[in-house]
Amino acid sequence: MPLLSRLGAVALQILIISNVCLAYPELVDKIRARQINIGSLRSSYDYIIVGGGQSGLVIANRLSEDSTKNVLVVEYGYVDNNPSQLEPSSATSYPSRDLFNVTTVPQTGIGGKRVSIYAASVVGGGSTVNGMLFDRGAAEDYDNWAALGNPGWDFAGLLPYFKKSTTFGTPDPAIVQEYGITWEPSAYGNGPIQVTFPSWQWPTIKVQWKAWNEVGVPTMRDGENGNAYNAYWVPNNVDAQSRRSYAKNRYFDTVSSRSNLHLLTGYRVNDIQFSSAKKAESVRIQQRGTPNGGSTTTIRANQEIVLCAGWLNTPAVLQRSGIGPQDLLSRANIPVVVDLPGVGSNLQDHPATQINFQYTRDLQPNQASLYTNQTFQAWAQQQWQQFRKGPMSMLVGNALATLPLPTMLSTYQSLISRVNSQNAAQYLPSTYSAASIRGYEAQRRVLMASYASLKNGIVEIPFSGGGGTSLVHEKPLSRGTVLINPSDKWADPIVDYNTSINPIDNEIFVAMIKFYRRWMQAPSMQQLGPQEQSPGASLTTDQQLINYATQGMISSTAHSCGTSAMMPQDQGGVVSSQLLVYGVTGLSVGDISIIPLIPATHTCATVYAIAEKAADLIKARAGNNPTTSSTTSVRTTTSTTRTTTPVTTPTTTGSGGTQSKWGQCGGIGWTGPTACVSGSTCQSLNPYYSQCL
Ligand SMILES: Cc1cc2nc3c(=O)[nH]c(=O)nc-3n(C[C@H](O)[C@H](O)[C@H](O)COP(=O)(O)OP(=O)(O)OC[C@H]3O[C@@H](n4cnc5c(N)ncnc54)[C@H](O)[C@@H]3O)c2cc1C
Ligand SMILES: *[C@@H]1O[C@H](CO)[C@@H](O)[C@H](O)[C@H]1NC(C)=O
Ligand SMILES: *[C@@H]1O[C@H](CO)[C@@H](O)[C@H](O)[C@H]1NC(C)=O
Ligand SMILES: *[C@@H]1O[C@H](CO)[C@@H](O)[C@H](O)[C@H]1NC(C)=O
């Protein structure tokens, strides 16, 4: 997640480069082993993967397990061999050399500003540059995908792939004990991506956990049961030395001995070419930096072409290939292969705004100590340099409060009925087809069930000890578009999130600000002397808070998705639940674009699961055995595991830990007396929390 502190991170990064640069010469050779130049290209491959980002490398690894199949990955970006990119500080550096340089069109809902987008362009893609916060959505987030007409894509269907892609490494027992960090070992497997907790947390977080519980937000243990809602600990995708564990070093470098796997970098896939029967036959590629319209090379695919160019470019490649909204294609002078109006619609992300409180009586040490206390600073440096432990092993924090709407807003039912009575088309981009509007209405039905649910969060508040943070909307109603520029199809696509166009999205931000203030008023929090800096206590009306929220709002927390959605075709879908593009054969999508409805989570772990599942689907239709097993038996395995696996994690749950009581006189989980002393009456502030007022 992009947070602030870019400058600090960049400075730190430079230090680290000079320290570690010569430490890993062996990495360089490994990376280059399967890289080929244009002269070594075969004229055809069994599989061509468009984009060697996060999902592309996963699928390439799995498809090349069968040594009789040749696999080519074409990646527009280059290898980033910079050792600093493995370090914890890279979690917030977002180097522009590894990103597309694109901004949105002016966002009318948030004051008309152009907003940065986050789309990686480097081998390993988003996993090479991301914040390494490694969480999953709640079970219900994925069950919603299945409810939208995608059998097999519920949580039970994805859990085997969450496991297959990860291995959990036991963290420092002292930190686990001290902070009550929890995880669920059975929710991980022995897959490539290493996942663990860093060896440091800031003491103030103990108070924060307790305060969440006091305002009716229970502590959950995330894992096999899909319990990623309320407040829970979140690990990082790092190894035991806090080094980035990601698609390139864990899915690609590890299979560098496979001669049937080729990676070509610095080439753009311009488009896909089809036979007269609309079978995807070949890709046309062009060297990066050469003039558009210049020379291209055509490479044939015998079995399948798999699009993994990400949320920004998968729809653009489809559109340039003649698959997309007919009207757009004709304006761009592209012959129509399939009029598929959903291509580039359904863009979603998690918009966010900042809030800031200062703790006037903070515990020591705290985040500021790294800058203000030289003794502490020196100790932190020494811990890092000698042991790769301590505060500098930390990334962006390890705890999230992902709040159900009923917990946050007692009038949630009225909000939901106002959403249901909206004319959906009124708030959707005017380019949306009737089918896409129907698809949105279908999404709205499952979305409103989730708005009412206590087992799914609709906002996220990350916390790690500081008084300020991002307030993130996890289930926005506004929808955007990614469309090629009709007057220059080679230019970067035009991105419009239409952030906060639906006014209900702003109401969610208001509720979030008010609930954050309530959290700051929790009894335990008072020892820290919290003082509101922004919005500022003088801003109280809803309109004032909306103005504050939209002014500072960003459209994206780098979780863009949905632009080639897995939905029925008559609901604006682009791919089926087999991930095959409608209207053609031999062409599929395996990246984040297929997400129909954005889950309440940072998206990296979910992309690994999608890509692992995609690889099994691709193998199955080619007639060879999926590496996990067929979808059906995977699901059987799942239910067995879920009922029989004992929980063997440490059962400590933090100083604020799991409590059996949330409120004062009633609510879910409450076991105490329900009467209040005379003079006060019991009032339910939300289903968990009540007070004698
Ligand atoms: C800055 C940033 C921070 C993030 N922080 C977090 C976080 O902390 N936690 C988390 O869970 N998630 C985070 N994410 C999100 C997560 O990393 C992404 O959702 C995920 O990596 C997307 O994977 P993908 O395979 O769909 O696309 P990508 O990994 O983006 O891969 C797409 C690849 O396709 C290539 N490509 C595009 N067009 C073409 C073409 N025409 N020809 C050839 N190649 C092409 C691109 O260069 C790119 O490498 C972050 C993302 C970013 C960018
Ligand atoms: C984005 O800009 C940086 C810095 O100018 C550059 O190095 C990089 O190649 C650009 N990215 C793309 C995908 O063009
Ligand atoms: C500075 O850090 C040291 C070492 O952690 C600690 O002992 C000391 O109390 C700190 N000083 C202040 C003013 O907090
Ligand atoms: C979406 O944003 C565009 C401009 O970026 C604007 O023209 C359009 O009206 C917006 N859509 C809606 C439904 O308001």
PDB file of all heavy atoms in Angstrom, residues 393-425:
ATOM      1  N   SER A 393      13.597  -3.863  10.497  1.00  0.00           N
ATOM      2  CA  SER A 393      13.105  -5.046   9.783  1.00  0.00           C
ATOM      3  C   SER A 393      11.616  -4.913   9.476  1.00  0.00           C
ATOM      4  O   SER A 393      11.033  -5.723   8.773  1.00  0.00           O
ATOM      5  CB  SER A 393      13.342  -6.316  10.607  1.00  0.00           C
ATOM      6  OG  SER A 393      12.505  -6.333  11.743  1.00  0.00           O
ATOM      7  N   MET A 394      11.003  -3.876  10.035  1.00  0.00           N
ATOM      8  CA  MET A 394       9.570  -3.693   9.844  1.00  0.00           C
ATOM      9  C   MET A 394       9.280  -3.084   8.489  1.00  0.00           C
ATOM     10  O   MET A 394      10.071  -2.327   7.944  1.00  0.00           O
ATOM     11  CB  MET A 394       9.042  -2.761  10.916  1.00  0.00           C
ATOM     12  CG  MET A 394       7.976  -3.397  11.763  1.00  0.00           C
ATOM     13  SD  MET A 394       7.314  -2.191  12.889  1.00  0.00           S
ATOM     14  CE  MET A 394       5.583  -2.393  12.513  1.00  0.00           C
ATOM     15  N   LEU A 395       8.102  -3.408   7.956  1.00  0.00           N
ATOM     16  CA  LEU A 395       7.739  -2.839   6.657  1.00  0.00           C
ATOM     17  C   LEU A 395       6.665  -1.779   6.900  1.00  0.00           C
ATOM     18  O   LEU A 395       6.936  -0.782   7.546  1.00  0.00           O
ATOM     19  CB  LEU A 395       7.309  -3.956   5.705  1.00  0.00           C
ATOM     20  CG  LEU A 395       8.445  -4.987   5.482  1.00  0.00           C
ATOM     21  CD1 LEU A 395       8.214  -6.259   6.237  1.00  0.00           C
ATOM     22  CD2 LEU A 395       8.678  -5.216   4.032  1.00  0.00           C
ATOM     23  N   VAL A 396       5.469  -2.006   6.407  1.00  0.00           N
ATOM     24  CA  VAL A 396       4.443  -0.965   6.574  1.00  0.00           C
ATOM     25  C   VAL A 396       3.498  -1.245   7.741  1.00  0.00           C
ATOM     26  O   VAL A 396       2.461  -0.612   7.857  1.00  0.00           O
ATOM     27  CB  VAL A 396       3.611  -0.784   5.279  1.00  0.00           C
ATOM     28  CG1 VAL A 396       4.473  -0.262   4.151  1.00  0.00           C
ATOM     29  CG2 VAL A 396       2.938  -2.100   4.871  1.00  0.00           C
ATOM     30  N   GLY A 397       3.849  -2.170   8.628  1.00  0.00           N
ATOM     31  CA  GLY A 397       2.959  -2.473   9.745  1.00  0.00           C
ATOM     32  C   GLY A 397       2.291  -3.813   9.538  1.00  0.00           C
ATOM     33  O   GLY A 397       2.342  -4.382   8.442  1.00  0.00           O
ATOM     34  N   ASN A 398       1.677  -4.339  10.592  1.00  0.00           N
ATOM     35  CA  ASN A 398       1.156  -5.704  10.546  1.00  0.00           C
ATOM     36  C   ASN A 398      -0.225  -5.873  11.146  1.00  0.00           C
ATOM     37  O   ASN A 398      -0.574  -6.966  11.584  1.00  0.00           O
ATOM     38  CB  ASN A 398       2.132  -6.657  11.266  1.00  0.00           C
ATOM     39  CG  ASN A 398       3.463  -6.719  10.544  1.00  0.00           C
ATOM     40  OD1 ASN A 398       4.400  -5.983  10.861  1.00  0.00           O
ATOM     41  ND2 ASN A 398       3.545  -7.567   9.545  1.00  0.00           N
ATOM     42  N   ALA A 399      -1.001  -4.790  11.203  1.00  0.00           N
ATOM     43  CA  ALA A 399      -2.339  -4.965  11.780  1.00  0.00           C
ATOM     44  C   ALA A 399      -3.348  -4.133  11.005  1.00  0.00           C
ATOM     45  O   ALA A 399      -3.065  -3.012  10.587  1.00  0.00           O
ATOM     46  CB  ALA A 399      -2.334  -4.554  13.247  1.00  0.00           C
ATOM     47  N   LEU A 400      -4.515  -4.723  10.807  1.00  0.00           N
ATOM     48  CA  LEU A 400      -5.596  -4.049  10.097  1.00  0.00           C
ATOM     49  C   LEU A 400      -6.876  -4.132  10.910  1.00  0.00           C
ATOM     50  O   LEU A 400      -7.158  -5.159  11.529  1.00  0.00           O
ATOM     51  CB  LEU A 400      -5.857  -4.717   8.743  1.00  0.00           C
ATOM     52  CG  LEU A 400      -4.720  -4.749   7.725  1.00  0.00           C
ATOM     53  CD1 LEU A 400      -5.147  -5.523   6.491  1.00  0.00           C
ATOM     54  CD2 LEU A 400      -4.280  -3.339   7.361  1.00  0.00           C
ATOM     55  N   ALA A 401      -7.639  -3.039  10.878  1.00  0.00           N
ATOM     56  CA  ALA A 401      -9.022  -3.092  11.337  1.00  0.00           C
ATOM     57  C   ALA A 401      -9.874  -2.956  10.088  1.00  0.00           C
ATOM     58  O   ALA A 401      -9.850  -1.917   9.428  1.00  0.00           O
ATOM     59  CB  ALA A 401      -9.311  -1.970  12.321  1.00  0.00           C
ATOM     60  N   THR A 402     -10.536  -4.028   9.730  1.00  0.00           N
ATOM     61  CA  THR A 402     -11.368  -4.050   8.520  1.00  0.00           C
ATOM     62  C   THR A 402     -12.805  -4.199   9.005  1.00  0.00           C
ATOM     63  O   THR A 402     -13.221  -5.271   9.435  1.00  0.00           O
ATOM     64  CB  THR A 402     -10.921  -5.202   7.601  1.00  0.00           C
ATOM     65  OG1 THR A 402      -9.528  -5.006   7.294  1.00  0.00           O
ATOM     66  CG2 THR A 402     -11.699  -5.218   6.308  1.00  0.00           C
ATOM     67  N   LEU A 403     -13.522  -3.077   8.997  1.00  0.00           N
ATOM     68  CA  LEU A 403     -14.740  -3.000   9.800  1.00  0.00           C
ATOM     69  C   LEU A 403     -15.993  -3.277   8.991  1.00  0.00           C
ATOM     70  O   LEU A 403     -16.207  -2.686   7.918  1.00  0.00           O
ATOM     71  CB  LEU A 403     -14.845  -1.597  10.405  1.00  0.00           C
ATOM     72  CG  LEU A 403     -13.623  -1.132  11.187  1.00  0.00           C
ATOM     73  CD1 LEU A 403     -13.815   0.311  11.657  1.00  0.00           C
ATOM     74  CD2 LEU A 403     -13.382  -2.044  12.379  1.00  0.00           C
ATOM     75  N   PRO A 404     -16.856  -4.152   9.527  1.00  0.00           N
ATOM     76  CA  PRO A 404     -18.187  -4.313   8.940  1.00  0.00           C
ATOM     77  C   PRO A 404     -18.966  -3.003   9.077  1.00  0.00           C
ATOM     78  O   PRO A 404     -18.785  -2.263  10.052  1.00  0.00           O
ATOM     79  CB  PRO A 404     -18.826  -5.407   9.797  1.00  0.00           C
ATOM     80  CG  PRO A 404     -17.680  -6.121  10.440  1.00  0.00           C
ATOM     81  CD  PRO A 404     -16.617  -5.079  10.641  1.00  0.00           C
ATOM     82  N   LEU A 405     -19.830  -2.716   8.130  1.00  0.00           N
ATOM     83  CA  LEU A 405     -20.595  -1.475   8.200  1.00  0.00           C
ATOM     84  C   LEU A 405     -21.469  -1.392   9.451  1.00  0.00           C
ATOM     85  O   LEU A 405     -21.505  -0.337  10.095  1.00  0.00           O
ATOM     86  CB  LEU A 405     -21.435  -1.306   6.922  1.00  0.00           C
ATOM     87  CG  LEU A 405     -22.218   0.008   6.827  1.00  0.00           C
ATOM     88  CD1 LEU A 405     -21.298   1.224   6.853  1.00  0.00           C
ATOM     89  CD2 LEU A 405     -23.070   0.033   5.555  1.00  0.00           C
ATOM     90  N   PRO A 406     -22.167  -2.482   9.847  1.00  0.00           N
ATOM     91  CA  PRO A 406     -23.017  -2.372  11.038  1.00  0.00           C
ATOM     92  C   PRO A 406     -22.224  -2.018  12.301  1.00  0.00           C
ATOM     93  O   PRO A 406     -22.765  -1.416  13.230  1.00  0.00           O
ATOM     94  CB  PRO A 406     -23.640  -3.768  11.174  1.00  0.00           C
ATOM     95  CG  PRO A 406     -23.572  -4.339   9.804  1.00  0.00           C
ATOM     96  CD  PRO A 406     -22.307  -3.798   9.202  1.00  0.00           C
ATOM     97  N   THR A 407     -20.949  -2.384  12.343  1.00  0.00           N
ATOM     98  CA  THR A 407     -20.122  -2.048  13.500  1.00  0.00           C
ATOM     99  C   THR A 407     -19.871  -0.544  13.563  1.00  0.00           C
ATOM    100  O   THR A 407     -19.748   0.045  14.628  1.00  0.00           O
ATOM    101  CB  THR A 407     -18.766  -2.783  13.386  1.00  0.00           C
ATOM    102  OG1 THR A 407     -19.014  -4.177  13.289  1.00  0.00           O
ATOM    103  CG2 THR A 407     -17.871  -2.503  14.578  1.00  0.00           C
ATOM    104  N   MET A 408     -19.814   0.060  12.379  1.00  0.00           N
ATOM    105  CA  MET A 408     -19.369   1.438  12.270  1.00  0.00           C
ATOM    106  C   MET A 408     -20.526   2.419  12.274  1.00  0.00           C
ATOM    107  O   MET A 408     -20.382   3.566  12.668  1.00  0.00           O
ATOM    108  CB  MET A 408     -18.624   1.541  10.920  1.00  0.00           C
ATOM    109  CG  MET A 408     -17.590   2.592  10.865  1.00  0.00           C
ATOM    110  SD  MET A 408     -16.609   2.482   9.353  1.00  0.00           S
ATOM    111  CE  MET A 408     -17.773   2.356   8.030  1.00  0.00           C
ATOM    112  N   LEU A 409     -21.678   1.969  11.808  1.00  0.00           N
ATOM    113  CA  LEU A 409     -22.767   2.899  11.533  1.00  0.00           C
ATOM    114  C   LEU A 409     -24.087   2.262  11.955  1.00  0.00           C
ATOM    115  O   LEU A 409     -24.536   1.290  11.358  1.00  0.00           O
ATOM    116  CB  LEU A 409     -22.786   3.189  10.023  1.00  0.00           C
ATOM    117  CG  LEU A 409     -23.744   4.257   9.518  1.00  0.00           C
ATOM    118  CD1 LEU A 409     -23.325   5.629  10.041  1.00  0.00           C
ATOM    119  CD2 LEU A 409     -23.767   4.255   7.990  1.00  0.00           C
ATOM    120  N   SER A 410     -24.729   2.836  12.998  1.00  0.00           N
ATOM    121  CA  SER A 410     -25.964   2.208  13.481  1.00  0.00           C
ATOM    122  C   SER A 410     -27.096   2.343  12.461  1.00  0.00           C
ATOM    123  O   SER A 410     -28.001   1.528  12.435  1.00  0.00           O
ATOM    124  CB  SER A 410     -26.370   2.810  14.825  1.00  0.00           C
ATOM    125  OG  SER A 410     -26.503   4.209  14.700  1.00  0.00           O
ATOM    126  N   THR A 411     -27.023   3.353  11.590  1.00  0.00           N
ATOM    127  CA  THR A 411     -28.085   3.548  10.592  1.00  0.00           C
ATOM    128  C   THR A 411     -27.739   2.871   9.262  1.00  0.00           C
ATOM    129  O   THR A 411     -28.148   3.335   8.202  1.00  0.00           O
ATOM    130  CB  THR A 411     -28.299   5.052  10.341  1.00  0.00           C
ATOM    131  OG1 THR A 411     -27.040   5.619   9.959  1.00  0.00           O
ATOM    132  CG2 THR A 411     -28.796   5.763  11.589  1.00  0.00           C
ATOM    133  N   TYR A 412     -27.020   1.762   9.338  1.00  0.00           N
ATOM    134  CA  TYR A 412     -26.551   1.140   8.099  1.00  0.00           C
ATOM    135  C   TYR A 412     -27.693   0.673   7.201  1.00  0.00           C
ATOM    136  O   TYR A 412     -27.573   0.666   5.985  1.00  0.00           O
ATOM    137  CB  TYR A 412     -25.585  -0.012   8.401  1.00  0.00           C
ATOM    138  CG  TYR A 412     -26.214  -1.220   9.029  1.00  0.00           C
ATOM    139  CD1 TYR A 412     -26.617  -2.301   8.238  1.00  0.00           C
ATOM    140  CD2 TYR A 412     -26.427  -1.293  10.393  1.00  0.00           C
ATOM    141  CE1 TYR A 412     -27.190  -3.420   8.804  1.00  0.00           C
ATOM    142  CE2 TYR A 412     -27.006  -2.406  10.970  1.00  0.00           C
ATOM    143  CZ  TYR A 412     -27.391  -3.466  10.168  1.00  0.00           C
ATOM    144  OH  TYR A 412     -27.967  -4.561  10.733  1.00  0.00           O
ATOM    145  N   GLN A 413     -28.832   0.299   7.840  1.00  0.00           N
ATOM    146  CA  GLN A 413     -29.922  -0.212   7.003  1.00  0.00           C
ATOM    147  C   GLN A 413     -30.509   0.875   6.100  1.00  0.00           C
ATOM    148  O   GLN A 413     -30.863   0.597   4.954  1.00  0.00           O
ATOM    149  CB  GLN A 413     -31.014  -0.841   7.865  1.00  0.00           C
ATOM    150  CG  GLN A 413     -30.753  -2.327   8.050  1.00  0.00           C
ATOM    151  CD  GLN A 413     -31.253  -2.862   9.368  1.00  0.00           C
ATOM    152  OE1 GLN A 413     -31.500  -2.095  10.315  1.00  0.00           O
ATOM    153  NE2 GLN A 413     -31.415  -4.168   9.444  1.00  0.00           N
ATOM    154  N   SER A 414     -30.562   2.078   6.617  1.00  0.00           N
ATOM    155  CA  SER A 414     -31.090   3.159   5.770  1.00  0.00           C
ATOM    156  C   SER A 414     -30.117   3.452   4.623  1.00  0.00           C
ATOM    157  O   SER A 414     -30.526   3.720   3.495  1.00  0.00           O
ATOM    158  CB  SER A 414     -31.389   4.393   6.630  1.00  0.00           C
ATOM    159  OG  SER A 414     -30.517   5.445   6.327  1.00  0.00           O
ATOM    160  N   LEU A 415     -28.828   3.381   4.919  1.00  0.00           N
ATOM    161  CA  LEU A 415     -27.851   3.585   3.848  1.00  0.00           C
ATOM    162  C   LEU A 415     -28.037   2.527   2.755  1.00  0.00           C
ATOM    163  O   LEU A 415     -28.062   2.840   1.563  1.00  0.00           O
ATOM    164  CB  LEU A 415     -26.433   3.551   4.422  1.00  0.00           C
ATOM    165  CG  LEU A 415     -25.297   3.794   3.426  1.00  0.00           C
ATOM    166  CD1 LEU A 415     -24.184   4.635   4.048  1.00  0.00           C
ATOM    167  CD2 LEU A 415     -24.717   2.486   2.896  1.00  0.00           C
ATOM    168  N   ILE A 416     -28.203   1.285   3.185  1.00  0.00           N
ATOM    169  CA  ILE A 416     -28.360   0.200   2.207  1.00  0.00           C
ATOM    170  C   ILE A 416     -29.619   0.402   1.367  1.00  0.00           C
ATOM    171  O   ILE A 416     -29.609   0.232   0.145  1.00  0.00           O
ATOM    172  CB  ILE A 416     -28.380  -1.170   2.927  1.00  0.00           C
ATOM    173  CG1 ILE A 416     -26.982  -1.470   3.467  1.00  0.00           C
ATOM    174  CG2 ILE A 416     -28.864  -2.281   1.992  1.00  0.00           C
ATOM    175  CD1 ILE A 416     -26.906  -2.677   4.377  1.00  0.00           C
ATOM    176  N   SER A 417     -30.719   0.831   2.016  1.00  0.00           N
ATOM    177  CA  SER A 417     -31.926   0.976   1.199  1.00  0.00           C
ATOM    178  C   SER A 417     -31.802   2.164   0.251  1.00  0.00           C
ATOM    179  O   SER A 417     -32.361   2.136  -0.845  1.00  0.00           O
ATOM    180  CB  SER A 417     -33.206   1.033   2.050  1.00  0.00           C
ATOM    181  OG  SER A 417     -33.103   2.052   2.983  1.00  0.00           O
ATOM    182  N   ARG A 418     -31.021   3.172   0.645  1.00  0.00           N
ATOM    183  CA  ARG A 418     -30.794   4.267  -0.303  1.00  0.00           C
ATOM    184  C   ARG A 418     -29.954   3.798  -1.505  1.00  0.00           C
ATOM    185  O   ARG A 418     -30.180   4.222  -2.630  1.00  0.00           O
ATOM    186  CB  ARG A 418     -30.174   5.474   0.391  1.00  0.00           C
ATOM    187  CG  ARG A 418     -31.266   6.295   1.128  1.00  0.00           C
ATOM    188  CD  ARG A 418     -30.744   7.535   1.806  1.00  0.00           C
ATOM    189  NE  ARG A 418     -29.863   7.199   2.922  1.00  0.00           N
ATOM    190  CZ  ARG A 418     -28.590   7.528   2.983  1.00  0.00           C
ATOM    191  NH1 ARG A 418     -28.023   8.218   2.005  1.00  0.00           N
ATOM    192  NH2 ARG A 418     -27.868   7.179   4.033  1.00  0.00           N
ATOM    193  N   VAL A 419     -28.996   2.921  -1.251  1.00  0.00           N
ATOM    194  CA  VAL A 419     -28.222   2.375  -2.382  1.00  0.00           C
ATOM    195  C   VAL A 419     -29.150   1.581  -3.299  1.00  0.00           C
ATOM    196  O   VAL A 419     -29.133   1.739  -4.525  1.00  0.00           O
ATOM    197  CB  VAL A 419     -27.080   1.459  -1.886  1.00  0.00           C
ATOM    198  CG1 VAL A 419     -26.400   0.756  -3.058  1.00  0.00           C
ATOM    199  CG2 VAL A 419     -26.063   2.256  -1.076  1.00  0.00           C
ATOM    200  N   ASN A 420     -29.980   0.731  -2.690  1.00  0.00           N
ATOM    201  CA  ASN A 420     -30.855  -0.119  -3.500  1.00  0.00           C
ATOM    202  C   ASN A 420     -31.840   0.686  -4.335  1.00  0.00           C
ATOM    203  O   ASN A 420     -32.275   0.226  -5.386  1.00  0.00           O
ATOM    204  CB  ASN A 420     -31.606  -1.109  -2.603  1.00  0.00           C
ATOM    205  CG  ASN A 420     -30.684  -2.249  -2.166  1.00  0.00           C
ATOM    206  OD1 ASN A 420     -29.774  -2.629  -2.893  1.00  0.00           O
ATOM    207  ND2 ASN A 420     -30.906  -2.771  -0.968  1.00  0.00           N
ATOM    208  N   SER A 421     -32.197   1.870  -3.862  1.00  0.00           N
ATOM    209  CA  SER A 421     -33.171   2.641  -4.634  1.00  0.00           C
ATOM    210  C   SER A 421     -32.505   3.573  -5.653  1.00  0.00           C
ATOM    211  O   SER A 421     -33.190   4.285  -6.385  1.00  0.00           O
ATOM    212  CB  SER A 421     -34.087   3.429  -3.697  1.00  0.00           C
ATOM    213  OG  SER A 421     -33.314   4.339  -2.958  1.00  0.00           O
ATOM    214  N   GLN A 422     -31.175   3.562  -5.706  1.00  0.00           N
ATOM    215  CA  GLN A 422     -30.511   4.376  -6.737  1.00  0.00           C
ATOM    216  C   GLN A 422     -30.789   3.826  -8.137  1.00  0.00           C
ATOM    217  O   GLN A 422     -30.885   2.609  -8.314  1.00  0.00           O
ATOM    218  CB  GLN A 422     -28.984   4.357  -6.544  1.00  0.00           C
ATOM    219  CG  GLN A 422     -28.468   5.238  -5.439  1.00  0.00           C
ATOM    220  CD  GLN A 422     -26.935   5.221  -5.370  1.00  0.00           C
ATOM    221  OE1 GLN A 422     -26.276   4.288  -5.849  1.00  0.00           O
ATOM    222  NE2 GLN A 422     -26.366   6.236  -4.738  1.00  0.00           N
ATOM    223  N   ASN A 423     -30.852   4.709  -9.109  1.00  0.00           N
ATOM    224  CA  ASN A 423     -30.807   4.293 -10.508  1.00  0.00           C
ATOM    225  C   ASN A 423     -29.335   4.043 -10.836  1.00  0.00           C
ATOM    226  O   ASN A 423     -28.544   4.974 -10.921  1.00  0.00           O
ATOM    227  CB  ASN A 423     -31.394   5.407 -11.378  1.00  0.00           C
ATOM    228  CG  ASN A 423     -31.132   5.178 -12.856  1.00  0.00           C
ATOM    229  OD1 ASN A 423     -30.647   4.119 -13.263  1.00  0.00           O
ATOM    230  ND2 ASN A 423     -31.447   6.178 -13.658  1.00  0.00           N
ATOM    231  N   ALA A 424     -28.996   2.752 -10.991  1.00  0.00           N
ATOM    232  CA  ALA A 424     -27.580   2.385 -11.110  1.00  0.00           C
ATOM    233  C   ALA A 424     -26.880   3.179 -12.211  1.00  0.00           C
ATOM    234  O   ALA A 424     -25.762   3.666 -12.031  1.00  0.00           O
ATOM    235  CB  ALA A 424     -27.456   0.890 -11.372  1.00  0.00           C
ATOM    236  N   ALA A 425     -27.544   3.332 -13.359  1.00  0.00           N
ATOM    237  CA  ALA A 425     -26.899   3.951 -14.510  1.00  0.00           C
ATOM    238  C   ALA A 425     -26.491   5.395 -14.234  1.00  0.00           C
ATOM    239  O   ALA A 425     -25.536   5.906 -14.812  1.00  0.00           O
ATOM    240  CB  ALA A 425     -27.830   3.896 -15.716  1.00  0.00           C
TER     241      ALA A 425
END
